[in-house]
Structure formats: structure tokens, C-alpha cells
Amino acid sequence: MSVSITPLVASAVAAALPLLIAALGELVTERAGLLNLGVEGMMLLGALASFVAVTHGAGLPLAVACGLLAGMAGALVFGLLTISLQASQVATGLSLTILGTGISSFLGRGYVGYRAPASFEPIAVPWLSDLPIIGPLFELNILGYAAVVIMIAVGWLLARTRAGLALRSVGESPVVARALGLKVTRIRYAAVLFGGAMAGLAGTYYALAQLKMWQEGLTSGNGWIALALVVFATWRPGRVAIGALLFGGVTALGLWLQTVGVGVSTFALASLPYLATVVVLVSISADQQALRRFAPAALGKPFFDGD
Amino acid sequence: MKRSRLLGVALASIALSVGALGAAQAADPLKMAFVYVGPVGDGGWTFAHDLGRKAMEKALGSKVSTSFVENVPESGDAERVIRDLATKGNTIILTTSFGYMDSTLKVAKSFPKVEFYHATGFKSASNVTIYNSRMYEPAYLAGIIAGHMSKTGKLGFVASFPIPEVVRNINAYTMGARSVNSKITTKVVWVSTWYDPSKERQAAEALIGQGADVLLQNTDSSATLQTAQDKGVYAFGWDSDMAAYAPKAHLASAIETWGGYYTKLAEAALAGKPLKQTVWGGIREGMNDLVNVNPVIPETARKIVAAKKAEIAGGMQVFTGPIMGQDGSVKVAAGKSLTDKEIDSVNWYVEGVEGQLPGQK
């Protein structure tokens, strides 16, 4: 049987990109010491906002802006409660997910049932996109290419710039960072808002680049996977991409194996992503040193900035 | 959910106060509650049930007051939700997904005065009535269209769970296609969920990647259809009319039309004689249909579909022999038909379906 593996890679890449975008945002937020569990909620807000914008005739750039802003609006609520009012980050993040899910399904009622009038379509890089197996990596839509650029930028920013150093020190020890004269509150707000913008962009990706529609709960739990990917990657941007590809790939593989008629139980195939998660989590916790080295020490702890 | 319950209460209190003011027919409205497995905005299965609920409300006005709870998992949670609705004074509770079967029966035992209606199940009780739609009928008609439109001779099916309800739709789709082109085969991908647009999309991509060029899905979102449009192949709408999602890829929609039945059962309950008869309706009973047939389909094919639809409406049974199993053995002899009981417990693929049915040796 002649079986091409390229469509499998394409499917894995398509599934990985929105996860990558959302996880990068959360990674920056967590590097600043804040655990925002509201990714799913912010993604849904971004997805709806961009879909509504396109439906009312806005061009794609404006729709993306709406998606970013909607995600940031959710993040701002999170910031106000956790940074300024020192509320519990876990509880606030969870509420944000519930809030985002509820608001988007309520406001989205009238938008169910038709295709997005404008959407992001793949742009192939000549020659490279015809390569076997890795070809799909060169046939992304603009948001997909943007995800790659953002990943490189975040990696560079965190590792090589003063701003990145400031962000990391805020996440390690806000007390020391403040003593050094860093504006802890301002940096944390910036990080949280960036996380919201990326979640909004990931939502936009689902609504306008991948599914091209609005339905309630469109992101179907992928915000949680993005959160898990950050831990999976031990807070390093490059590894987020590997994790996203792996997760997208494992899900796609389970479905793809069914179509080529491999005699493996579909129940076993359906549990592949979860098995992979268990294996990865076990292998990560085996390397305690790496965990301790990269996990922001002040993650999730409230900090009172007395100015 | 809360919102609609509040709305229900508001409507009820308005109705009550109107009654108190001395207006005629002051009887309390019939309180009906719906339990949905997905969001009402899924554009598919739950959306169709909610359209039915609204149609009934429109037909009966202030005589009924309805509420619903959406996104109820088919787990222990379902029992809690159903019990809660029963305690809140609903006299009719409709549980609209297969997985609610045991929870419904359990709660029904403790509330003998409440009438329960369970969609798509197979266990009933004195106050639990089953209703279902023979979706395999429009699936068969969709298959006829697919048989005409497929160039590769390979059809794809995005399936949720390997239960009879889904298996028979795969069979009917394949049989419809093979009735016009005996070389057609169907590939099936099981996604183990009713609603997960990303996963449904990946499943559709996998099928298209293996050459399938006309897809049908027995899941609740329109992701399969959208994917078909992106990849330049054809697909169908399922449960609700999905033409607007993907006008180019959409060949037709196999839809559920619950409104008529919901109105009938509410009227019967209002008259004090609740319906207790198991209902399994199809095209003939007006409980489903194949609609919005794309003009891109050749006239000849559309004529065949119309003729078959008329036959089915006239009582023709889709699962009439000769039907071969996957290995080519005769499963249903010529001139014989599957009984309803057999259709409702089918656990084998017909000839032309590829792969192994999960859970079968």
C-alpha cells in the first residue's frame, strides 16, 4: 500500500500552530511569575471577537487586532485582580476561563451557522513546500508564519536582552527585582497582557485560519493543552514548539493510522495523546534539576508592590 | 442555562399573574426541561434539538414553559442534572443523548410522576419513553449522491463512537453509494467524541489525505464540512442544515426535525394522556430529511435521490436484502429486511466499508 506521510505532517503542523501561539504567551506570563489558568477563556474571547469583526465587514488585519484586544481585555481583568489586588492566581485564572467561555457563548449566539466571510489561507513558499515530509512547514498561513517569528522573538528576548532579564528576575524574586529598581508591577502587567494577546491570537487562529467558523466552545479545551505545554517545555520557547508538534502529531497519528487500516484498536489509538502526556510528564519530573533551573521561583505567589 | 431557567421562571410568573388578574385559561404552563450534550450553538445535534424546542414553544405559546441545560457530560454528572430538574417541578424531562440512558432510568425511578423522554436509547420504563430518528434514511440518500460525485471511489466517514446508531449510518451511507457504483469503498475514522472541532478537522484531513473525496460525519460540529471546502472535496451537513458553512463543498444536509414530535408530546401531556409509545420516525414521519441539495449534483442523480426518498416515505426499508457483510457473506437475504431490533443493535459493517469495527473480533 502506498501511503504518504506528508498529509500527516500537515495535519500535525496545523494542530500545533495555535497551541504554540497560546503557549508562548503563557510562557512569558509565567516567566514573570504569574500563573494564568484563563488561557482557554481568553482564546474564546479572541476567537469570537475576530469572527464578529470579520462578519461585520472588517478586513483581516482589523479582525486580528480585535482578537488581540479581546484576549488582552481578559488578561487585564486577571492582572487587576492578581497583580493590583493580590487575589489568588489559580482561582482568578479559573474564573477567567469560565467567564470567557460564558461571555463568548452568550454574545456568539447570533454568529453560529455560517462560514467566516474572510479567512487566512495557506501561502506556499515556492519549491520548499513541495519537499516531501517537511513540505507542510513551508505552506502555512500568515498567522502560522507569525507564530514562528514570535517564537524566535520570545526566545531571543528572554535569553539575550535586558528586558528579558528584567522579566525573568521578576519571576524569580519580585522582592529582589524591586530592590534593584525594576518596576515589578509594570513588568508583570506587560507580561500578562502579552499572554492575553497571544491567547487572543490563538483564538483568532481557530476562528479564521483553521475552522473558519464560530461555534460555542470552539477551542475545545486546547487552552488547557497550551498550559500543559509550558510545563512540558520547562519554560523554554523552542521546546514549546516541539511539544506542540508532538501533541498535534500524536493526535493526528491516532486518526491517520485508522485510515491506513493498521489493525490497532481505535480505543488504544484514541488514548495515545494521554499516554504521551504521561510519558513526557514522568520523564520531565525525572530531571528535577532542569525543572528547578527553569521554573520561575516566584510562580503563582502573590507579591505586594508597595508603590 | 441559568439564564433560560430564569427566563422560564419569569415566563411562568407572568403567566401566573395574568391568570390571577382573571384572564381565562389560567392553568399552570406545562414545565418541560431539556438536557443537551453539547452547546445549543453547536450548529448540529444540540442545535437541532433546540430548534425543536423553540418550534414547540412557538406552537403552544404560554401553555408550556421550557428550560434547558447544555453541555451536560454523559457521566455521573448527567444524573445530578436530571435529578435537579425533576426536583424543580418539571413534569416532562427530555434527555437528548444516548449516554444519558442509564442516568435517565435511575432518576425516573425516584420520580414516578415525571414523564421522561430519552433520545436514541434502547431501555424504556413505565415513565421513560424512547424516541429516535432514523437518520440512516437521509444517510442512505446522501450515499447515493456521494456515489455519483466521488471521482476516487473512496468515501470518508468521521465517526464518533462505535454504537449501533453510528454504525448503521456508516452502513447506509456505503449502501447508498454502492447502489449507484458498486466499486465504492468507505474509510472510517473514529474520533471518540461528539464535539471537538479541531479533532474532527484532523480526522477529515486524514481521510482526505488517503484519497477520500466525499465525506459524511456523525459528529456534532461542521468542522468536517469546512475542511472539505478547504481541501476542495465534497461533504454533507449533518443534524442541521449546514449549507452556509461551506457552500462549495456542501452537497446536501441530513437534518433532524424534532419540532413536530415535541409539540405532539406536549399536547398529549396537556390533554392528560402523555405519549408512552416508543417513536422511531424517519422521512415518512417528518422527523428527518435530506435538504438543500446542491445544484452541482447532476440532474440524473437528483432524480434518483428524489425517487428513493419517495420510496422511503412510502415505507421502503433501507436495510433490505441482499446485503453483504464485509467478507462478502450474505448478511440479509434478498427480499428480507432487518427488523427494527436488528437495526438497533447492528454491530457489523456492510461490504465496502474498510477497516475493522472497534470492539469486534
Side-chain angles (χ1 to χ4, degrees):
Chain A
M1 189 191 294
S2 80
V3 169
S4 166
I5 203 167
T6 314
L8 174 66
V9 178
S11 186
V13 170
L17 287 168
L19 293 175
L20 173 64
I21 298 172
L24 285 172
E26 178 66 14
L27 184 144
V28 169
T29 305
E30 291 191 13
R31 273 295 181 95
L34 290 141
L35 179 67
N36 186 353
L37 298 179
V39 179
E40 178 84 357
M42 297 188 296
M43 271 165 68
L44 283 168
L45 289 175
L48 179 69
S50 59
F51 188 84
V52 169
V54 154
T55 306
H56 290 292
L60 288 172
L62 184 59
V64 169
C66 289
L68 291 173
L69 285 174
M72 286 166 84
L76 186 64
V77 173
F78 178 83
L80 286 173
L81 287 168
T82 59
I83 303 173
S84 299
L85 301 172
Q86 281 97 42
S88 154
Q89 294 176 18
V90 170
T92 310
L94 286 174
S95 330
L96 180 56
T97 285
I98 298 167
L99 183 76
T101 311
I103 289 184
S104 64
S105 73
F106 177 64
L107 296 178
R109 289 267 145 112
Y111 296 94
V112 176
Y114 45 90
R115 189 181 175 86
S119 54
F120 291 100
E121 298 304 330
I123 302 164
V125 179
W127 191 75
L128 285 175
S129 61
D130 296 328
L131 290 174
I133 300 174
I134 57 161
L137 288 170
F138 301 98
E139 199 174 353
L140 312 177
N141 57 66
I142 292 181
L143 296 185
Y145 292 118
V148 178
V149 173
I150 292 168
M151 178 187 74
I152 295 167
V154 166
W156 175 75
L157 205 85
L158 281 177
R160 303 252 180 269
T161 66
R162 274 192 85 80
L165 185 64
L167 183 88
R168 281 186 287 142
S169 47
V170 165
E172 288 303 323
S173 169
V175 183
V176 174
R178 185 161 169 256
L180 288 171
L182 291 171
K183 307 255 186 237
V184 174
T185 301
R186 213 177 285 176
I187 293 171
R188 286 195 155 185
Y189 263 107
V192 164
L193 287 176
F194 178 78
M198 288 305 105
L201 187 63
T204 306
Y205 192 98
Y206 281 111
L208 298 183
Q210 200 185 70
L211 301 163
K212 294 156 193 172
M213 59 178 178
W214 169 254
Q215 288 186 343
E216 282 186 49
L218 186 76
T219 51
S220 49
N222 284 316
W224 297 106
I225 292 167
L227 268 164
L229 283 176
V230 178
V231 183
F232 171 102
T234 52
W235 295 271
R236 281 172 283 182
R239 293 197 171 197
V240 170
I242 297 171
L245 270 174
L246 205 67
F247 195 87
V250 168
T251 314
L253 184 71
L255 301 168
W256 182 81
L257 281 178
Q258 293 187 38
T259 65
V260 294
V262 175
V264 184
S265 155
T266 53
F267 301 112
L269 294 177
S271 59
L272 270 182
Y274 308 100
L275 286 174
T277 309
V278 170
V279 170
V280 164
L281 286 179
V282 168
S283 60
I284 285 177
S285 45
D287 190 0
Q288 282 296 329
Q289 244 185 339
L291 261 189
R292 232 171 292 144
R293 186 143 42 98
F294 290 100
L299 182 61
K301 292 180 190 139
F303 170 69
F304 180 65
D305 196 355
D307 42 48
Chain B
M1 326 160 233
K2 279 220 175 96
R3 195 164 54 247
S4 72
R5 219 177 283 150
L6 278 178
L7 189 69
V9 173
L11 283 177
S13 49
I14 290 167
L16 281 175
S17 48
V18 168
L21 284 170
Q25 13 120 315
D28 286 355
L30 181 69
K31 274 188 81 177
M32 299 173 72
F34 292 74
V35 184
Y36 296 147
V37 69
V40 292
D42 69 359
W45 173 259
T46 295
F47 186 67
H49 279 283
D50 205 50
L51 283 180
R53 181 185 66 85
K54 285 182 188 152
M56 174 197 57
E57 264 193 338
K58 205 173 163 198
L60 300 177
S62 61
K63 283 190 266 178
V64 291
S65 102
T66 69
S67 64
F68 63 83
V69 186
E70 54 187 345
N71 284 321
V72 178
E74 294 175 318
S75 56
D77 228 24
E79 193 190 323
R80 184 185 56 75
V81 171
I82 300 166
R83 193 173 291 280
D84 183 52
L85 290 170
T87 348
K88 291 221 165 85
N90 288 291
T91 44
I92 292 183
I93 294 174
L94 299 102
T95 54
T96 64
S97 188
F98 180 80
Y100 298 148
M101 183 161 67
D102 290 330
S103 313
T104 308
L105 284 162
K106 227 164 157 186
V107 180
K109 243 185 212 163
S110 359
F111 293 90
K113 285 192 183 142
V114 178
E115 288 297 329
F116 294 84
Y117 291 86
H118 177 234
T120 75
F122 56 80
K123 292 185 196 163
S124 57
S126 62
N127 60 335
V128 179
T129 308
I130 306 164
Y131 67 104
N132 201 353
S133 150
R134 298 175 190 267
M135 280 301 275
Y136 61 82
E137 292 178 353
Y140 181 83
L141 298 177
I144 297 177
I145 295 177
H148 275 278
M149 300 302 287
S150 175
K151 290 196 184 81
T152 60
K154 284 183 197 165
L155 309 185
F157 200 107
V158 178
S160 48
F161 295 100
I163 55 174
E165 181 192 343
V166 178
V167 175
R168 63 177 176 249
N169 291 335
I170 297 171
N171 285 346
Y173 183 56
T174 309
M175 285 168 59
R178 285 171 76 92
S179 74
V180 294
N181 175 357
S182 60
K183 294 213 175 78
I184 291 260
T185 56
T186 306
K187 281 182 188 291
V188 184
V189 171
W190 298 93
V191 290
S192 307
T193 175
W194 288 110
Y195 181 80
D196 182 340
S198 311
K199 206 168 174 193
E200 291 167 49
R201 184 182 175 91
Q202 281 192 311
E205 282 171 350
L207 287 164
I208 296 166
Q210 296 303 322
D213 65 349
V214 187
L215 308 185
L216 179 62
Q217 71 283 0
N218 203 159
T219 48
D220 296 352
S221 95
S222 61
T224 302
L225 183 58
Q226 298 270 21
T227 312
Q229 173 135 338
D230 288 344
K231 304 277 176 189
V233 300
Y234 291 117
F236 295 90
W238 187 255
D239 291 335
S240 300
D241 185 353
M242 296 181 173
Y245 279 113
K248 265 188 251 157
H250 178 268
L251 288 176
S253 276
I255 63 161
E256 317 253 14
T257 43
W258 301 110
Y261 176 65
Y262 287 163
T263 311
K264 220 160 68 186
L265 78 83
E267 276 171 340
L270 282 165
K273 287 184 204 132
L275 296 182
K276 299 265 193 190
Q277 193 81 35
T278 299
V279 172
W280 200 15
I283 287 176
R284 177 152 62 152
E285 291 81 5
M287 281 174 85
N288 58 38
D289 203 354
L290 188 82
V291 297
N292 228 329
V293 177
N294 194 325
V296 79
I297 300 161
E299 182 68 32
T300 47
R302 271 183 285 161
K303 273 197 182 133
I304 297 175
V305 170
K308 275 285 170 201
K309 190 159 144 181
E311 273 182 53
I312 292 171
M316 183 203 116
Q317 219 266 58
V318 167
F319 296 109
T320 300
I323 300 174
M324 310 296 172
Q326 267 186 307
D327 55 357
S329 65
V330 178
K331 281 282 189 181
V332 184
K336 291 241 168 92
S337 297
L338 290 182
T339 63
D340 276 359
K341 210 175 159 195
E342 285 166 332
I343 296 174
D344 219 9
S345 57
V346 60
N347 59 358
W348 45 272
Y349 282 146
V350 297
E351 190 174 28
V353 183
E354 289 183 3
Q356 199 180 22
L357 180 58
Q360 297 299 315
K361 288 270 144 69

